[in-house]
Amino acid sequence: NRSFCESSVSVGGSVEELLLDLLADAQTSGGLLIAVAADRAEALHEALGRRGVPHPEIGAVTGGGPGRIKVVR
């Protein structure tokens, strides 16, 4: 998975190789990330909180062209 998407990913200097491997691991990455429109984020946070689901906000969709992922720490 990692080699497949490598051309679409830019990585900050302090991101460890192990973290990149985890982000691309087909066994876990499907359940790690979800996206929601900004105007619905608060409702999602509340709903997940009520169910006891950990839900840290880890990023944002920004400009920069289609198909780019930037991993920073």
Side-chain angles (χ1 to χ4, degrees):
N1 284 341
R2 186 170 167 190
S3 61
F4 176 79
C5 66
E6 215 162 33
S7 65
S8 298
V9 177
S10 59
V11 180
S14 65
V15 177
E16 300 88 8
E17 289 294 314
L18 178 60
L19 179 58
L20 295 174
D21 289 339
L22 288 173
L23 289 172
D25 186 342
Q27 297 178 72
T28 60
S29 61
L32 290 177
L33 302 174
I34 61 173
V36 64
D39 63 339
R40 300 183 67 196
E42 187 175 340
L44 177 63
H45 280 284
E46 291 172 2
L48 293 172
R50 282 193 303 272
R51 290 166 178 80
V53 177
H55 54 281
E57 186 174 324
I58 63 163
V61 176
T62 63
R68 295 293 306 162
I69 299 169
K70 183 177 182 181
V71 181
V72 295
R73 185 171 175 122

